[in-house]
Amino acid sequence: MEQQIDLNNYEGLCRLDSTGMMDTLAGLPAQCLLAVRDICGSVELPAIEAISNIVVTGLGGSAIGGDLLRVYSAGRIPVPVTVNRDYVLPAFVGPDTLVFAVSYSGNTEETLSAYEEARARGASVIAITTGGKLGEMAAGDDIPLVKIPAGCAPRAATGYLFIPTLVILQRLGMLPDLTVETTAMAGFIKELQEKIGPESPGEENVSKQIAHKLYKKIPVIWGVSGTTEVVAQRWKGQINENAKAPAYWNVFPELNHNEIVGFEYPREILKKIHLIILRDEQDHPRVQKRIEITRDIIKDAVDGITEVWSSGDGDLARLFSLIYTGDYASLYLAALYGIDPGPVKVIDFLKWELAVE
Ligand code: PA5
């Protein structure tokens, strides 16, 4: 039986964390700065014209940056951004598609398959990886390769995996210069780190408080379409991978048309659910009203409801404020369960089994 770690015991938190997830997370602001200033600098881009759609193909920790791009760019880029988490690409992918093939390890078989398909269909492909087979294939095919630093878990490399997509689109003239906004976001989450990082005491630390609320409960995370949906998905994935616990997510307004009906039975299991509602000042006023009504409808059915508001100026800062809060909460939840947040043995085992012919 694992031993629960007191969240105010900094040494205890570090002792449990064999791969340094806590330190890597503390480095997220620096990671974002490096990604916006340096990482793409030497990448040569061919003339890419007449792009009708953008696809980010990747899985897990390497795909979430695609969702961030999809949400962030929705009101900014006049072509659709689709995230593909599969071996195959949608039928619309062709010579007018820009494909980002993203794999932290460079060895994820679904991404390698989608990469080959994108090449065969004549799409413009850009690879983002630390190396691996994807790195070799991109170098061999002479396509733009964004080489990112190795040495951490893919889910801890969100700055490296997401921000280069913004920089490339900026260089292609599809987005304005984002250096100022990204730098401001990095500065803002650095300040936030002092409030929610491991050295900030539980009474003042929102992420530690959230972890306590989620401990021994089933986390259900609700975001809002077009804004915090990507954060809800991120929180779910981080709780799964870091805390080795189940979590589920959904979005307003869609959940108002089905999921809210499902809070009657089985009562004893519903009482194990702790609901997190992610809030953002930019959410549609009608959605804000929906959230208020929904909370009243289900408040007695579940263990509790916690609202977490985004903070900071600008879309990137607000998105990353929530991501950072959830990332820390997932590490603290791991500590409450007394589990090492880094290793994901089940994913490694599955990939290993798949590799056996
Ligand atoms: O966090 C993880 O380890 C996973 O979600 C991986 O990101 C996923 O399995 C894909 O691997 P990669 O990011 O190396 O392509």
Side-chain angles (χ1 to χ4, degrees), residues 328-352:
Y328 269 115
S330 69
L331 293 183
Y332 299 139
L333 187 57
L336 292 178
Y337 285 125
I339 189 96
D340 185 350
V344 282
K345 290 185 190 144
V346 181
I347 298 176
D348 297 342
F349 173 74
L350 187 82
K351 288 182 179 178
W352 184 80

Side-chain angles (χ1 to χ4, degrees), residues 150-210:
C152 63
R155 63 191 182 283
T158 307
Y160 293 145
L161 293 163
F162 162 57
I163 290 176
T165 62
L166 295 182
V167 177
I168 300 275
L169 292 177
Q170 174 189 313
R171 283 180 54 190
L172 292 174
M174 298 178 86
L175 280 173
D177 191 333
L178 293 160
T179 315
V180 172
E181 187 179 354
T182 311
T183 305
M185 173 273 278
F188 180 72
I189 61 168
K190 194 165 169 30
E191 281 169 27
L192 186 60
Q193 202 273 336
E194 282 166 30
K195 298 183 191 141
I196 60 174
E199 287 170 275
S200 162
E203 317 82 76
E204 295 158 21
N205 189 319
V206 173
S207 293
K208 288 183 179 175
Q209 291 161 10
I210 291 169

Side-chain angles (χ1 to χ4, degrees), residues 59-62 102-106 108 111 154-155 241 344 347 351:
L59 278 295
S62 290
V102 188
S103 169
Y104 188 74
S105 64
T108 297
T111 313
R155 63 191 182 283
E241 291 192 56
V344 282
I347 298 176
K351 288 182 179 178

